[in-house]
Every structure is written in structure tokens, then in C-alpha cells.
Amino acid sequence: MQPQKPLFPQLGGLLHGGDYNPDQWLDRPDILEKDIALMKKAGINSASVGIFAWSALEPQEGVYTFEWMDRVIDRLYENGIYTVLATPSGARPVWMDEKYPEVRRVRPDGLRNIHGQRHNHCMSSPIYRQKVRQMNTLLAKRYGSHPGVILWHLSNEYGGACYCDLCRKKFQEWLRKKYHDDIGALNHAWWTAFWSHTYTSFDQIDPPMEHGEHSVLGMLLDWRRFTTENTAEFMRAEIEPLRQYSKLPVTTNFMWMYGGLDYHTLAKDLDIISWDAYPRWHNNEETVYDTATQTAFNHSLMRSFKRGQPFMLMESTPSQVNWMPFNKLKRPGIHALACLQAVACGSDTVQYFQFRMGRGSFEQFHGAVVNHTGRDDTRTFREVSEVGQLLRTLSPVAGSSPATKKAVIYDWDNRWAIEDMAGAAKNDKKYHEVCYEHFDALRRLGEDPDVISSTESFDGYDLICAPMLYLLKPGVAQRLKDFVAQGGTLVTTWLTGYVNETTLAFLGGFPGDGLMELTGVEAEELDTLYPGQTNGVQVGDERYETAQFCELLSLRSPETRVLGSYTQDFYQGQPAITIHPYGKGKSVHIATRVEKQCLIDLYSGLLSMSPSPKEPVLLPNGVEVHRRVNADTQYTFYLNFSEEEVTLPALPRDCRDMLTGERLSAGSRETLGAYGYLVVASV
Ligand code: GLA
Ligand code: ZN
């Protein structure tokens, strides 16, 4: 195991902080001074500054007012608080929009925005790139070597697409390059003979606009890839001056299952991964544990962009958000538990939006560490201070990495292709839900899977689950085969391997691209059930409910074994779950959306057969377990996301309770109260 590498050695532990907007309070130096005292009191050791501060830094074109920022960064540093410094490109000053209309984004209906909002620039605009470069150069020269500044926070939540002429031209050039200047190759890849959509020149291609093309699925996919790459190019242009004039690492804040950009592409250019988590705690559709599952999935996705390296929880609310239809408070206790979950999943930071509530505008009632009273005896302030204390106690965890041999594949190209696929259930294919279900079945058995893309290395895993891997990029089928041949276990589901990377259906049966040889089954037809309609799957003596999709399978290898069969409809008795040996490993195919218990039982069987077999332990309802390891210690986090008291499975080894210092012996069974937690270090 590698020795631990904390993200920020200056801190001597975990980072606790959040978005801080002194630029909104420049006429209140008394408040800015009080903020520092409040931060210290809450155990906050970092502030993210300047995220939307362009107007305060350059109020008129070429007129710079950095002095306030000098003071803020210095004062924070003098008080032991480190600055995460943002580039302000997330929102533009009015003067820029007024003078250079091209920086304003064009909507999918062709209309150019007027000034307003944020996150709505044209990423192709040479003028915007030049303005950003100028600003970032000044920031890097001025603060790049400041001992109080520890990280660049690029812009804010990059996202969206622009449909202006510049972007249209760039899309055409991007396509020309991708298809080697061969319009015939593009026509084939996009299957444009359909409805007479054949192009004769790259110059004829428009982005998929509201009043334009939507039926050419290959184009929809390429447009999203282009938008991702154009954003990545913009991001690299932002990074360039920062790297030229400073040695600080660079991050940008990602979002929850954001559909507009393939984060795998952006992640490559970043030093550290960070993201903004706003789970819908206590909503009225699911349990708190369900919300925790989705949150953990997102944490796992973030940590897996850079395996072995901690990530950052860049934003979260200390109490409630303001932008949901109904903005619920975090119930007492859930804040600490949610913060611990991030750390347990591999984050070395807990950060908030926002430190202090603004007085006006859209986010004035968004939760904050300090509310409009400015007091330190509020419930939120108290809970944040408790987290500050908790994080200090957990300092040794900084730099350690999650340890797992299981992975779930989640892929943006696949997601997009599934969303666009016209067939099955039109707008309700439930890709995310199915990913969560498999992820959670493994969690219930004490596992803590990574979430990786289909093109990442499969090294180090012994079980990979690829839910609904509809689109197979070149080489993926072969790599999955190699993984299994070398002893791995692969779980696939309905909708596997239907189309290639440009959404052309594989000829010769699904799963295509040679994958049938691995699964030992062919998916001949796909039945879609109505909401509420069910079928059943009989596995030995157990009958499980199943819903939504039922693939009709034929066995394509004499070695394929049927584990479960449909119980109803004209395909009653036909295979629904199969297993096929391949090389030293095995491939399991689940042709229908079975209930969770079926997945748990299935994975339980697979874990006990895996190359590193162990007796799977079913965790009590609501409980999750995470592990982080460094050179000589394993940290195990037990988190109870239920309102019930629970008794944990027997501790596997002697350890130390990190929060009380008490020694706990192997075999002892601890209890956790509602929203309780236990963090132990191996001894
Ligand atoms: C996002 C943004 C923040 C803020 C929060 C509010 O994550 O990055 O600027 O608007 O949402 O929840
Ligand atoms: Zn544009």
C-alpha cells in the first residue's frame, strides 16, 4: 500500500471550509473581521474566495481592484485559514456583455441571451477566452505564490452548450477532423440515408437545435462529445496561465450526475477532483438511506476519476438549499453523518455553500454556516462546529485511499445513447436507478464499489458490474473478455451491447462486438412492461418480482447455466438470469429488472465464489460501511442512515474507536443510535 499523500500538507489533516463571498460585504469591514472569528470558532480552516467576483476585481474594463482580495487572503492566512482561490469566469460583469455581445451564449432556439444569470458564456468565443486568460494571469501572478493560497478553483460548475455561429463552425471542424474529412464516413456513422438526411458537405451540419435536427442519434451523441471537448478546451485555456505562473494544483467543481458534460474527459486535465453534493435528504419519496445510496454513488464516481487519490467535497449545504421545490432542513444529526460519509468515501474535505448568507438576491435564504443574525449559537453553527471538531479528530485519515475490488461501470456516452434511444420505454429507461440498485446490492453486503467508465483500467478489481451497457466503445468488449478470462466476475443486464460508439446497432445479435461469446447468451427480443406491471423470476426455491424490462434470451453456449427463469407471460420458463464460465472467470447476465433482494442474493453468491472468497455479511437496514487505508492503518466507517438503533456485525479485528480512543476487540458487536456513526482504526 502506498504511503498516504494528503491533498494539502499545509493543513496537517482534513480541510473544513466553503464558499466565502467577502466581495458582497466590502462596505462592512466589521462583518469581514467577525467572519474570521466565526470561522475559527467553527473549526473552519479554509475559505473558497472569488468564485463570482469579476465585477469586484475589474469593475471597468482594464481597471483592476485587487486590494480587497489582498486583504482578505492575508487576514485569513494570519488566522490559520487557507484560501481556495477561484477564477471568476463563472459569471461576467455587465460591461463585458455590453461591449462584446459574442461572449453571451446562444440558446437552442437560436436566440442570443441578454445579460444576466451566470454560467452562460460561449465557450468558443475568442474574446471571452482572452478576457479569462488576462484575469487568470493577473490572479496567478499576484497570488500564485502566496503561502495562504492552496488551490485554484476554476470557474464554477462548467456546463451547458452554446448554439452560436462560432460554436456551429467549431462543431463542423470537430466533425471534419473526427471523420477524417470524409463526409461519407460521417453519413455512414450517423446513418443519414434514413429520411433522406444525407449531407454532402461538413458545412451543412447544424447543431441539434430546437427547430432543427433531432432524429439522427449519432449526431446528438457527437454534439454532446463536442460540447464536452469544447468545454475541456476552454478549461485548459483557463489553466494555462495558472500553471505558467504558479505551482498550485487545479480543480473545478463537478455536479451531481450532471448530464451535459462527460466528466471523464474534464477530469484528465485536473489535479484534484471536487464536486458539489446536494442530496435531497428527507424527501417524501424515499428513505434517508436511499438518498445516502445515491450520494455514495456520486462520491464513488468522483473518487474513481483519480483512483488512489482523495477528492474534495467542494460544496454542500450546512442546513438546507433554496432552489428545490420544497427546501427541507437537515434533521439534527444528518449533517455530521453526511459529512462523515463524504470523508468515508475518500474526500479529504468538507466544504459548504455558503459561509455567510448574503442579504439579497437569489441565494439570500440558502443555508449557510452563519445566518442573517451573525450569531454563533444557532443550531446550524453548532452542528458545523461539531463537524469541525470531528474532522480534527479524524486528521490521520487525510491522504488515505478507499480500498475496494468491486466496481460499477457508469459511462456518459452510454447514458446519452440510452436517453436518446427511441425504443423500449421512451423516456423512462431508468439507467441511473439501475446503476444505484446494483451498487447498493453490493453495499448491503459490506462492499463499497468504485464507479468507473468502460474505458478505464479494470486492474485491481475482481468483480465488475456493467448495468445496461448499451453502447460499446471500441475495445471495451475485448477488455471485458480479458478481465473475465483472467478470473474476474462480470455482471451484465438487459440492453447490453446493442450499439457501437456512433449508435449503429451491432449486426449479428446482442450483446454485440463479440460479447456474446463471453455472456453465452443472445438477447433476441426486449419486452417492455407498463408501470405497475410485473413478472417473476424463479431462482431455485425463491421467486422474485421483476418489472420494467424483460429480455428474451437464447443460450449460445453449451456451458451457459440458467440460474433463474421467468414465471409468467408467453416467455414463462425461459431464461432470465444466466451464468457462463469464461477462461478463469464467469459472466452473469440478468435479463430483467429484478427486485433488490434478488440482486443481494445473487451478489452474495458471487462474492462467496470470487477469487478472494469471503462469507458475505448482510448489513442491518440503513447501515453502510466504508474503508480507507494508508501505509499501515485501515480506517473503517460505520454509518447508520436509519432512524432505528442498529447492532453492527462483529468487528473483524482489534481496533481503536477514533472518536473516543477506546480499544475495541475483534468479535465485539457495537450498536449505533439513529444517524449514529463509528470510525475505527486498525491497531
Ligand atoms: C451550486 C453553485 C453555488 C450555489 C449552490 C447553491 O452548487 O456552485 O454557487 O449556487 O449551488 O446550492
Ligand atoms: Zn457559442
Side-chain angles (χ1 to χ4, degrees), residues 598-632:
C598 180
L599 291 182
I600 294 173
D601 293 345
L602 208 66
Y603 280 110
S604 176
L606 292 174
L607 293 184
S608 53
M609 291 188 309
S610 80
S612 46
K614 62 171 200 181
E615 204 45 55
V617 181
L618 187 66
L619 293 174
N621 279 338
V623 172
E624 55 181 57
V625 181
H626 304 272
R627 291 167 204 89
R628 290 180 66 164
V629 288
N630 67 22
D632 40 37

mmCIF file of all heavy atoms in Angstrom, residues 598-632:
data_model
loop_
_atom_site.group_PDB
_atom_site.id
_atom_site.type_symbol
_atom_site.label_atom_id
_atom_site.label_comp_id
_atom_site.label_asym_id
_atom_site.label_seq_id
_atom_site.Cartn_x
_atom_site.Cartn_y
_atom_site.Cartn_z
ATOM 1 N N CYS A 598 -33.284 -9.937 -4.886
ATOM 2 C CA CYS A 598 -32.722 -10.898 -5.839
ATOM 3 C C CYS A 598 -31.265 -10.532 -6.132
ATOM 4 O O CYS A 598 -30.389 -11.397 -6.169
ATOM 5 C CB CYS A 598 -33.566 -10.904 -7.111
ATOM 6 S SG CYS A 598 -32.958 -12.052 -8.349
ATOM 7 N N LEU A 599 -31.019 -9.233 -6.305
ATOM 8 C CA LEU A 599 -29.638 -8.799 -6.569
ATOM 9 C C LEU A 599 -28.747 -9.106 -5.372
ATOM 10 O O LEU A 599 -27.623 -9.570 -5.521
ATOM 11 C CB LEU A 599 -29.600 -7.293 -6.864
ATOM 12 C CG LEU A 599 -30.235 -6.827 -8.173
ATOM 13 C CD1 LEU A 599 -30.059 -5.319 -8.335
ATOM 14 C CD2 LEU A 599 -29.636 -7.553 -9.371
ATOM 15 N N ILE A 600 -29.272 -8.848 -4.179
ATOM 16 C CA ILE A 600 -28.462 -9.095 -2.978
ATOM 17 C C ILE A 600 -28.103 -10.580 -2.903
ATOM 18 O O ILE A 600 -26.943 -10.947 -2.682
ATOM 19 C CB ILE A 600 -29.211 -8.635 -1.706
ATOM 20 C CG1 ILE A 600 -29.386 -7.115 -1.728
ATOM 21 C CG2 ILE A 600 -28.474 -9.072 -0.440
ATOM 22 C CD1 ILE A 600 -30.258 -6.564 -0.609
ATOM 23 N N ASP A 601 -29.090 -11.429 -3.122
ATOM 24 C CA ASP A 601 -28.830 -12.876 -3.041
ATOM 25 C C ASP A 601 -27.846 -13.324 -4.124
ATOM 26 O O ASP A 601 -26.963 -14.141 -3.879
ATOM 27 C CB ASP A 601 -30.145 -13.660 -3.149
ATOM 28 C CG ASP A 601 -31.037 -13.427 -1.926
ATOM 29 O OD1 ASP A 601 -30.521 -12.905 -0.912
ATOM 30 O OD2 ASP A 601 -32.249 -13.728 -1.997
ATOM 31 N N LEU A 602 -28.022 -12.727 -5.297
ATOM 32 C CA LEU A 602 -27.144 -13.090 -6.410
ATOM 33 C C LEU A 602 -25.700 -12.667 -6.125
ATOM 34 O O LEU A 602 -24.760 -13.452 -6.270
ATOM 35 C CB LEU A 602 -27.660 -12.353 -7.649
ATOM 36 C CG LEU A 602 -27.396 -12.983 -8.976
ATOM 37 C CD1 LEU A 602 -28.148 -14.291 -9.088
ATOM 38 C CD2 LEU A 602 -27.880 -12.040 -10.083
ATOM 39 N N TYR A 603 -25.525 -11.434 -5.709
ATOM 40 C CA TYR A 603 -24.168 -10.945 -5.410
ATOM 41 C C TYR A 603 -23.577 -11.694 -4.221
ATOM 42 O O TYR A 603 -22.378 -11.944 -4.174
ATOM 43 C CB TYR A 603 -24.166 -9.437 -5.161
ATOM 44 C CG TYR A 603 -24.179 -8.641 -6.447
ATOM 45 C CD1 TYR A 603 -25.294 -7.911 -6.834
ATOM 46 C CD2 TYR A 603 -23.061 -8.637 -7.284
ATOM 47 C CE1 TYR A 603 -25.308 -7.186 -8.021
ATOM 48 C CE2 TYR A 603 -23.068 -7.920 -8.481
ATOM 49 C CZ TYR A 603 -24.188 -7.194 -8.832
ATOM 50 O OH TYR A 603 -24.193 -6.490 -10.017
ATOM 51 N N SER A 604 -24.417 -12.013 -3.277
ATOM 52 C CA SER A 604 -23.927 -12.742 -2.115
ATOM 53 C C SER A 604 -23.301 -14.056 -2.587
ATOM 54 O O SER A 604 -22.195 -14.421 -2.175
ATOM 55 C CB SER A 604 -25.103 -12.994 -1.171
ATOM 56 O OG SER A 604 -24.676 -13.765 -0.105
ATOM 57 N N GLY A 605 -23.993 -14.743 -3.494
ATOM 58 C CA GLY A 605 -23.460 -15.988 -4.050
ATOM 59 C C GLY A 605 -22.156 -15.737 -4.805
ATOM 60 O O GLY A 605 -21.185 -16.481 -4.668
ATOM 61 N N LEU A 606 -22.116 -14.659 -5.566
ATOM 62 C CA LEU A 606 -20.915 -14.381 -6.361
ATOM 63 C C LEU A 606 -19.729 -14.029 -5.470
ATOM 64 O O LEU A 606 -18.601 -14.432 -5.736
ATOM 65 C CB LEU A 606 -21.188 -13.231 -7.343
ATOM 66 C CG LEU A 606 -22.176 -13.549 -8.464
ATOM 67 C CD1 LEU A 606 -22.483 -12.302 -9.295
ATOM 68 C CD2 LEU A 606 -21.627 -14.660 -9.366
ATOM 69 N N LEU A 607 -19.994 -13.290 -4.396
ATOM 70 C CA LEU A 607 -18.885 -12.908 -3.504
ATOM 71 C C LEU A 607 -18.285 -14.143 -2.844
ATOM 72 O O LEU A 607 -17.069 -14.227 -2.676
ATOM 73 C CB LEU A 607 -19.361 -11.937 -2.418
ATOM 74 C CG LEU A 607 -19.810 -10.547 -2.889
ATOM 75 C CD1 LEU A 607 -20.171 -9.666 -1.705
ATOM 76 C CD2 LEU A 607 -18.734 -9.875 -3.727
ATOM 77 N N SER A 608 -19.145 -15.094 -2.503
ATOM 78 C CA SER A 608 -18.585 -16.261 -1.825
ATOM 79 C C SER A 608 -17.856 -17.187 -2.815
ATOM 80 O O SER A 608 -17.109 -18.053 -2.417
ATOM 81 C CB SER A 608 -19.659 -17.009 -1.038
ATOM 82 O OG SER A 608 -20.720 -17.295 -1.893
ATOM 83 N N MET A 609 -18.059 -16.934 -4.133
ATOM 84 C CA MET A 609 -17.338 -17.738 -5.135
ATOM 85 C C MET A 609 -16.119 -17.003 -5.680
ATOM 86 O O MET A 609 -15.367 -17.548 -6.459
ATOM 87 C CB MET A 609 -18.251 -18.001 -6.342
ATOM 88 C CG MET A 609 -19.395 -18.921 -6.049
ATOM 89 S SD MET A 609 -20.314 -19.406 -7.523
ATOM 90 C CE MET A 609 -20.749 -18.042 -8.422
ATOM 91 N N SER A 610 -15.974 -15.701 -5.333
ATOM 92 C CA SER A 610 -14.958 -14.878 -6.001
ATOM 93 C C SER A 610 -13.557 -15.368 -5.658
ATOM 94 O O SER A 610 -13.373 -16.147 -4.733
ATOM 95 C CB SER A 610 -15.134 -13.416 -5.613
ATOM 96 O OG SER A 610 -14.564 -13.201 -4.353
ATOM 97 N N PRO A 611 -12.541 -14.899 -6.412
ATOM 98 C CA PRO A 611 -11.174 -15.366 -6.166
ATOM 99 C C PRO A 611 -10.721 -15.109 -4.730
ATOM 100 O O PRO A 611 -9.928 -15.856 -4.181
ATOM 101 C CB PRO A 611 -10.331 -14.542 -7.142
ATOM 102 C CG PRO A 611 -11.277 -14.013 -8.148
ATOM 103 C CD PRO A 611 -12.620 -13.960 -7.518
ATOM 104 N N SER A 612 -11.210 -14.018 -4.113
ATOM 105 C CA SER A 612 -10.874 -13.809 -2.702
ATOM 106 C C SER A 612 -12.156 -14.027 -1.902
ATOM 107 O O SER A 612 -12.779 -13.077 -1.454
ATOM 108 C CB SER A 612 -10.334 -12.401 -2.478
ATOM 109 O OG SER A 612 -11.143 -11.454 -3.146
ATOM 110 N N PRO A 613 -12.585 -15.303 -1.794
ATOM 111 C CA PRO A 613 -13.918 -15.555 -1.245
ATOM 112 C C PRO A 613 -14.031 -15.130 0.203
ATOM 113 O O PRO A 613 -13.066 -15.186 0.951
ATOM 114 C CB PRO A 613 -14.060 -17.068 -1.374
ATOM 115 C CG PRO A 613 -12.692 -17.602 -1.430
ATOM 116 C CD PRO A 613 -11.831 -16.544 -2.019
ATOM 117 N N LYS A 614 -15.192 -14.639 0.539
ATOM 118 C CA LYS A 614 -15.439 -14.365 1.949
ATOM 119 C C LYS A 614 -16.920 -14.590 2.186
ATOM 120 O O LYS A 614 -17.721 -14.543 1.258
ATOM 121 C CB LYS A 614 -15.025 -12.952 2.305
ATOM 122 C CG LYS A 614 -15.782 -11.878 1.572
ATOM 123 C CD LYS A 614 -15.450 -10.540 2.149
ATOM 124 C CE LYS A 614 -16.533 -9.561 1.772
ATOM 125 N NZ LYS A 614 -16.390 -8.241 2.204
ATOM 126 N N GLU A 615 -17.233 -14.852 3.444
ATOM 127 C CA GLU A 615 -18.620 -15.071 3.791
ATOM 128 C C GLU A 615 -19.302 -13.704 3.809
ATOM 129 O O GLU A 615 -19.009 -12.871 4.659
ATOM 130 C CB GLU A 615 -18.680 -15.723 5.184
ATOM 131 C CG GLU A 615 -19.942 -16.520 5.448
ATOM 132 C CD GLU A 615 -20.348 -17.436 4.279
ATOM 133 O OE1 GLU A 615 -19.525 -18.274 3.836
ATOM 134 O OE2 GLU A 615 -21.486 -17.284 3.814
ATOM 135 N N PRO A 616 -20.161 -13.399 2.840
ATOM 136 C CA PRO A 616 -20.763 -12.067 2.830
ATOM 137 C C PRO A 616 -21.666 -11.859 4.047
ATOM 138 O O PRO A 616 -22.376 -12.774 4.455
ATOM 139 C CB PRO A 616 -21.575 -12.042 1.548
ATOM 140 C CG PRO A 616 -21.192 -13.255 0.794
ATOM 141 C CD PRO A 616 -20.668 -14.240 1.771
ATOM 142 N N VAL A 617 -21.559 -10.663 4.623
ATOM 143 C CA VAL A 617 -22.373 -10.337 5.797
ATOM 144 C C VAL A 617 -23.412 -9.320 5.370
ATOM 145 O O VAL A 617 -23.054 -8.272 4.834
ATOM 146 C CB VAL A 617 -21.482 -9.686 6.886
ATOM 147 C CG1 VAL A 617 -22.295 -9.359 8.121
ATOM 148 C CG2 VAL A 617 -20.303 -10.578 7.211
ATOM 149 N N LEU A 618 -24.650 -9.606 5.577
ATOM 150 C CA LEU A 618 -25.678 -8.632 5.234
ATOM 151 C C LEU A 618 -25.729 -7.578 6.335
ATOM 152 O O LEU A 618 -25.908 -7.907 7.516
ATOM 153 C CB LEU A 618 -27.028 -9.336 5.087
ATOM 154 C CG LEU A 618 -28.148 -8.438 4.568
ATOM 155 C CD1 LEU A 618 -27.887 -7.985 3.131
ATOM 156 C CD2 LEU A 618 -29.489 -9.159 4.652
ATOM 157 N N LEU A 619 -25.549 -6.316 5.965
ATOM 158 C CA LEU A 619 -25.568 -5.237 6.967
ATOM 159 C C LEU A 619 -26.999 -4.977 7.411
ATOM 160 O O LEU A 619 -27.942 -5.200 6.643
ATOM 161 C CB LEU A 619 -24.978 -3.969 6.369
ATOM 162 C CG LEU A 619 -23.491 -4.024 6.037
ATOM 163 C CD1 LEU A 619 -23.073 -2.755 5.305
ATOM 164 C CD2 LEU A 619 -22.674 -4.190 7.310
ATOM 165 N N PRO A 620 -27.172 -4.469 8.633
ATOM 166 C CA PRO A 620 -28.533 -4.107 9.046
ATOM 167 C C PRO A 620 -29.079 -3.009 8.131
ATOM 168 O O PRO A 620 -28.297 -2.219 7.593
ATOM 169 C CB PRO A 620 -28.347 -3.556 10.470
ATOM 170 C CG PRO A 620 -26.953 -3.859 10.871
ATOM 171 C CD PRO A 620 -26.159 -4.178 9.646
ATOM 172 N N ASN A 621 -30.379 -2.938 7.980
ATOM 173 C CA ASN A 621 -31.001 -1.904 7.143
ATOM 174 C C ASN A 621 -30.515 -0.525 7.542
ATOM 175 O O ASN A 621 -30.487 -0.194 8.719
ATOM 176 C CB ASN A 621 -32.523 -1.923 7.329
ATOM 177 C CG ASN A 621 -33.137 -3.013 6.492
ATOM 178 O OD1 ASN A 621 -32.537 -3.451 5.511
ATOM 179 N ND2 ASN A 621 -34.319 -3.466 6.902
ATOM 180 N N GLY A 622 -30.148 0.269 6.560
ATOM 181 C CA GLY A 622 -29.768 1.653 6.834
ATOM 182 C C GLY A 622 -28.290 1.865 7.073
ATOM 183 O O GLY A 622 -27.827 3.000 7.126
ATOM 184 N N VAL A 623 -27.539 0.769 7.206
ATOM 185 C CA VAL A 623 -26.123 0.918 7.570
ATOM 186 C C VAL A 623 -25.228 0.786 6.344
ATOM 187 O O VAL A 623 -25.463 -0.053 5.480
ATOM 188 C CB VAL A 623 -25.723 -0.155 8.607
ATOM 189 C CG1 VAL A 623 -24.215 -0.144 8.859
ATOM 190 C CG2 VAL A 623 -26.472 0.092 9.902
ATOM 191 N N GLU A 624 -24.220 1.643 6.267
ATOM 192 C CA GLU A 624 -23.203 1.454 5.241
ATOM 193 C C GLU A 624 -21.815 1.437 5.865
ATOM 194 O O GLU A 624 -21.593 2.013 6.926
ATOM 195 C CB GLU A 624 -23.317 2.519 4.140
ATOM 196 C CG GLU A 624 -23.281 3.943 4.614
ATOM 197 C CD GLU A 624 -23.416 4.950 3.468
ATOM 198 O OE1 GLU A 624 -24.430 4.870 2.748
ATOM 199 O OE2 GLU A 624 -22.524 5.796 3.318
ATOM 200 N N VAL A 625 -20.897 0.761 5.172
ATOM 201 C CA VAL A 625 -19.524 0.626 5.662
ATOM 202 C C VAL A 625 -18.563 1.081 4.571
ATOM 203 O O VAL A 625 -18.749 0.749 3.407
ATOM 204 C CB VAL A 625 -19.198 -0.852 6.013
ATOM 205 C CG1 VAL A 625 -17.779 -0.969 6.536
ATOM 206 C CG2 VAL A 625 -20.166 -1.390 7.030
ATOM 207 N N HIS A 626 -17.590 1.860 4.963
ATOM 208 C CA HIS A 626 -16.551 2.294 4.027
ATOM 209 C C HIS A 626 -15.193 2.083 4.667
ATOM 210 O O HIS A 626 -15.061 2.186 5.884
ATOM 211 C CB HIS A 626 -16.699 3.784 3.702
ATOM 212 C CG HIS A 626 -18.042 4.153 3.175
ATOM 213 N ND1 HIS A 626 -18.352 4.103 1.843
ATOM 214 C CD2 HIS A 626 -19.166 4.570 3.813
ATOM 215 C CE1 HIS A 626 -19.611 4.490 1.677
ATOM 216 N NE2 HIS A 626 -20.131 4.769 2.854
ATOM 217 N N ARG A 627 -14.206 1.846 3.823
ATOM 218 C CA ARG A 627 -12.842 1.661 4.333
ATOM 219 C C ARG A 627 -11.880 2.550 3.587
ATOM 220 O O ARG A 627 -11.984 2.688 2.363
ATOM 221 C CB ARG A 627 -12.396 0.202 4.154
ATOM 222 C CG ARG A 627 -13.132 -0.751 5.047
ATOM 223 C CD ARG A 627 -12.924 -2.197 4.661
ATOM 224 N NE ARG A 627 -14.060 -2.978 5.147
ATOM 225 C CZ ARG A 627 -15.180 -3.199 4.477
ATOM 226 N NH1 ARG A 627 -15.308 -2.733 3.241
ATOM 227 N NH2 ARG A 627 -16.167 -3.887 5.002
ATOM 228 N N ARG A 628 -10.965 3.155 4.324
ATOM 229 C CA ARG A 628 -9.843 3.877 3.705
ATOM 230 C C ARG A 628 -8.569 3.317 4.315
ATOM 231 O O ARG A 628 -8.531 3.047 5.516
ATOM 232 C CB ARG A 628 -9.938 5.382 3.985
ATOM 233 C CG ARG A 628 -11.070 6.071 3.255
ATOM 234 C CD ARG A 628 -11.129 7.548 3.548
ATOM 235 N NE ARG A 628 -9.966 8.280 3.047
ATOM 236 C CZ ARG A 628 -9.937 9.609 2.905
ATOM 237 N NH1 ARG A 628 -10.993 10.346 3.228
ATOM 238 N NH2 ARG A 628 -8.845 10.214 2.453
ATOM 239 N N VAL A 629 -7.552 3.165 3.485
ATOM 240 C CA VAL A 629 -6.306 2.594 4.009
ATOM 241 C C VAL A 629 -5.124 3.473 3.645
ATOM 242 O O VAL A 629 -5.139 4.176 2.637
ATOM 243 C CB VAL A 629 -6.033 1.173 3.452
ATOM 244 C CG1 VAL A 629 -6.972 0.163 4.042
ATOM 245 C CG2 VAL A 629 -6.134 1.152 1.936
ATOM 246 N N ASN A 630 -4.120 3.456 4.513
ATOM 247 C CA ASN A 630 -2.835 4.020 4.134
ATOM 248 C C ASN A 630 -1.770 3.003 4.474
ATOM 249 O O ASN A 630 -2.083 1.830 4.707
ATOM 250 C CB ASN A 630 -2.611 5.382 4.798
ATOM 251 C CG ASN A 630 -2.470 5.263 6.285
ATOM 252 O OD1 ASN A 630 -2.143 4.200 6.799
ATOM 253 N ND2 ASN A 630 -2.719 6.351 6.983
ATOM 254 N N ALA A 631 -0.525 3.449 4.518
ATOM 255 C CA ALA A 631 0.586 2.514 4.653
ATOM 256 C C ALA A 631 0.329 1.431 5.697
ATOM 257 O O ALA A 631 0.472 0.250 5.438
ATOM 258 C CB ALA A 631 1.852 3.283 4.983
ATOM 259 N N ASP A 632 -0.070 1.825 6.894
ATOM 260 C CA ASP A 632 -0.153 0.790 7.931
ATOM 261 C C ASP A 632 -1.487 0.729 8.663
ATOM 262 O O ASP A 632 -1.640 -0.056 9.587
ATOM 263 C CB ASP A 632 0.992 0.966 8.942
ATOM 264 C CG ASP A 632 1.230 2.425 9.246
ATOM 265 O OD1 ASP A 632 0.235 3.164 9.316
ATOM 266 O OD2 ASP A 632 2.406 2.824 9.385
#
